[in-house]
Amino acid sequence: METMEIFNNFISAKTQQIFFDFVSSNAFPYRFQDVHTPEYGVAQKRYYQDNSVSDSYNSTIYATPKQLTHHLFVLDETGEQKSHHYPILTPFLEAIYSKVGDFELLRAKVNVTMPDPRFEAYTSQVPHVDLKYDDGNELPHVVFLYYINDSDGPTYFYNKELEVVSSVPPTMGTCVMFDGGTLHAGSSPNSTPFRYALNINIRKK
């Protein structure tokens, strides 16, 4: 796995609380979204090939719940798509600039996951990379994964053999920076009702 850096108190304690209060309020709209379903079949197929596992087990390898999502920013072929709530990203973009210098914002979204009653233990979602070109080739980028609240449900990081090599627990104010080519996956919380995370994808200039 590429180098990972973890920053505590990525933004000020006061701003952490303001941000959490806002994205957990009725003023912040979400929509249900599948969690990386395009990659699900790919990951399952590789698991079968490597482990000679019957397809009948394909629903038990990775958790595939829906999550609540709000896209704050998306850069696509049509240009920049901004949410009305885009300005709340300002302290995060300033913090990122302080770490890497000039950058291009590619995507920013808030994800909310909830306990999945099908699983007693933490069950990883599908290992994935956040962004790719339409032809499937890697799109170079850097991920800033910010934990909005104290929760459980770690983020897992994988090598190319789909083996877990590291995990990070969600702690309010903590941000993990890592290369966008790193396979990773969240997991649903067990002991907390909601797990809030801000996912920001950038390209360094």
Side-chain angles (χ1 to χ4, degrees):
M1 186 180 69
E2 300 289 340
T3 301
M4 172 196 297
E5 291 190 61
I6 299 177
F7 306 103
N8 298 317
N9 295 313
F10 191 63
I11 56 176
S12 71
K14 180 179 179 180
T15 306
Q16 291 173 33
Q17 190 61 51
I18 291 172
F19 188 78
F20 169 71
D21 289 344
F22 184 65
V23 300
S24 61
S25 73
N26 291 333
F28 197 73
Y30 291 95
R31 64 176 56 188
F32 274 107
Q33 183 180 40
D34 289 327
V35 180
H36 301 290
T37 49
E39 286 86 1
Y40 182 70
V42 175
Q44 297 288 18
K45 183 177 180 181
R46 179 164 187 172
Y47 186 90
Y48 305 149
Q49 292 175 341
D50 292 349
N51 297 278
S52 300
V53 176
S54 167
D55 285 9
S56 64
Y57 292 96
N58 67 358
S59 63
T60 63
I61 301 170
Y62 298 120
T64 56
K66 290 181 179 295
Q67 65 184 4
L68 295 171
T69 297
H70 180 102
H71 282 84
L72 290 162
F73 180 90
V74 176
L75 179 65
D76 58 23
E77 64 277 1
T78 64
E80 297 181 353
Q81 310 297 321
K82 293 183 180 179
S83 160
H84 293 302
H85 303 299
Y86 172 81
I88 66 174
L89 278 176
T90 299
F92 298 96
L93 301 182
E94 292 175 348
I96 292 172
Y97 179 82
S98 72
K99 305 298 183 188
V100 302
D102 288 338
F103 66 91
E104 180 181 26
L105 180 62
L106 302 177
R107 189 182 69 173
K109 64 190 182 98
V110 177
N111 294 326
V112 185
T113 50
M114 294 146 283
D116 188 334
R118 298 175 300 165
F119 302 102
E120 294 182 2
Y122 296 126
T123 304
S124 170
Q125 297 162 2
V126 178
H128 63 275
V129 297
D130 287 351
L131 301 177
K132 295 179 181 178
Y133 289 110
D134 290 341
D135 61 7
N137 287 326
E138 181 178 341
L139 192 165
H141 64 286
V142 177
V143 180
F144 283 81
L145 178 60
Y146 172 82
Y147 297 114
I148 300 172
N149 67 321
D150 288 323
S151 177
D152 59 327
T155 302
Y156 296 103
F157 295 88
Y158 295 80
N159 59 23
K160 299 301 182 182
E161 286 69 47
L162 297 181
E163 300 167 332
V164 175
V165 294
S166 182
S167 65
V168 178
T171 303
M172 184 176 184
T174 296
C175 187
V176 187
M177 181 182 76
F178 56 94
D179 184 87
T182 303
L183 287 168
H184 62 283
S187 59
S188 297
N190 284 341
S191 61
T192 51
F194 299 102
R195 177 186 186 272
Y196 289 86
L198 172 64
N199 182 291
I200 300 176
N201 304 127
I202 68 156
R203 180 161 44 203
K204 294 181 182 180
K205 289 187 177 180

